Amino acid sequence: MKTRKIERTRLVPHTVDGVTEMVLDRETIEVPAPPRDWDHLVRTAVTIGAIVLVTASLAWTTASIGDLLSAVTLAVVAYAAAVAFDASWILCMAVEWLLRYDPERAQVAQRAGRWALAVSMGAVFAHGYLLADTWVIGAVGAVVSALAKGGWSMAMRVHARPLDDRTQQWVAKRRAAVDGQLAMIPIRRELQRGQAMVEAEQHSLTLAGPDRGSADPDQSGQSTDDPDPDPQPAPSGPMTIKDAVRTALDSGIREPNRVLAYVRKVADANAKPDTVSRYIRLAG
């Protein structure tokens, strides 16, 4: 039986001059070596082979189509554009891999990848046919991309973990719930920004109204007991301290004490001044 050596450490008491401390004791032992995982080695070899095929196909297609396009444009531009032919179906296969647990969305990437491969093979065929005036060279050159895509498809099948129908439905529902929560993050931010703009506009119109500076001390909608003539922005629901600070700043409130008062009113009655000041600096 094959064995392998490993080093183990443990804490042991060690006393010097009557003082005991816990120190590390290192010990090298032999343990049975696990059998070689041939499946993992073959899977790794398949993946490396697929990467090599894709790289060779990308180089061949770029060289062929770049040579074809260089007849009508600059060589640098021609070869740069030629990269897009194989890169397009490679990109589609990468998307297909990321969506391997969402078959409906992955089908779009599969169809797009096939069309992109067909276009790439057609361009390589045209280059070979025009260069040698024979369809055999064009066909052989075009098959390189097909072989590369086939090799990568086999590698994806090796790594795939198919789900049964019920598990697939469970994953779809869970993904939909999480995606909905993620989608609400920018939506809430957009609504808060819009609400802040509306409140800021109302605030500016109130200050610029025709009754500003009137000699009548009893103005409509303004309490004589409130020494602060500037209205506070209306709270739009439960807020975090950060959201409340941002709403206050967007509404034209700049004084730290007034921002703190607004935060304690709509978000957290125990908000600390240091926390509010930090958010004010970040927002500024």
Side-chain angles (χ1 to χ4, degrees):
M1 180 178 61
K2 293 183 178 181
T3 60
R4 60 190 180 97
K5 293 182 179 181
I6 62 172
E7 184 181 81
R8 293 189 356 183
T9 59
R10 59 177 179 172
L11 288 173
V12 297
H14 183 66
T15 304
V16 177
D17 295 335
V19 179
T20 302
E21 296 288 350
M22 301 298 291
V23 298
L24 285 177
D25 179 46
R26 294 179 174 84
E27 179 184 9
T28 302
I29 62 174
E30 289 189 357
V31 297
R36 188 178 296 274
D37 189 353
W38 290 105
D39 289 345
H40 178 70
L41 293 176
V42 173
R43 187 179 295 110
T44 303
V46 169
T47 304
I48 295 175
I51 294 174
V52 171
L53 284 175
V54 171
T55 304
S57 174
L58 182 61
W60 168 253
T61 302
T62 302
S64 299
I65 302 178
D67 185 41
L68 178 66
L69 297 178
S70 62
V72 294
T73 186
L74 296 176
V76 175
V77 178
Y79 284 95
V83 175
F85 284 82
D86 260 11
S88 57
W89 64 260
I90 294 174
L91 177 64
C92 291
M93 295 198 69
V95 174
E96 183 182 348
W97 168 256
L98 294 175
L99 299 178
R100 61 190 181 278
Y101 298 122
D102 194 347
E104 293 184 1
R105 296 172 63 191
Q107 288 179 358
V108 178
Q110 290 176 355
R111 289 194 294 267
R114 291 167 186 162
W115 279 104
L117 176 64
V119 172
S120 178
M121 292 177 63
V124 175
F125 175 82
H127 172 262
Y129 182 78
L130 294 175
L131 182 68
D133 196 20
T134 175
W135 64 269
V136 175
I137 295 179
V140 172
V143 169
V144 174
S145 296
L147 292 175
K149 181 173 173 59
W152 190 252
S153 297
M154 292 299 103
M156 290 176 60
R157 288 181 177 273
V158 168
H159 291 279
R161 297 292 183 269
L163 302 177
D164 60 87
D165 182 62
R166 292 189 176 183
T167 304
Q168 185 67 56
Q169 295 181 44
W170 183 90
V171 171
K173 290 187 176 181
R174 292 298 302 166
R175 181 183 288 113
V178 174
D179 288 346
Q181 295 176 4
L182 292 175
M184 287 303 299
I185 294 176
I187 291 176
R188 290 193 185 98
R189 290 177 179 173
E190 180 181 357
L191 293 176
Q192 289 177 357
R193 285 195 297 267
Q195 183 65 31
M197 292 177 63
V198 171
E199 293 170 354
E201 179 70 14
Q202 293 175 348
H203 180 69
S204 63
L205 291 176
T206 301
L207 295 179
D211 294 335
R212 186 181 179 184
S214 173
D216 185 3
D218 187 13
Q219 298 181 6
S220 175
Q222 179 177 355
S223 174
T224 58
D225 296 333
D226 187 3
D228 186 5
D230 296 334
Q232 294 285 339
S236 58
M239 291 186 180
T240 63
I241 295 178
K242 183 177 180 180
D243 293 336
V245 170
R246 181 177 299 173
T247 301
L249 295 176
D250 291 341
S251 300
I253 302 175
R254 299 296 177 181
E255 295 79 359
N257 291 335
R258 295 183 60 200
V259 175
L260 176 61
Y262 177 71
V263 170
R264 288 178 173 176
K265 178 180 178 182
V266 302
D268 186 355
N270 299 319
K272 296 181 178 180
D274 294 341
T275 303
V276 174
S277 299
R278 184 173 68 254
Y279 283 129
I280 291 175
R281 290 194 299 271
L282 292 175

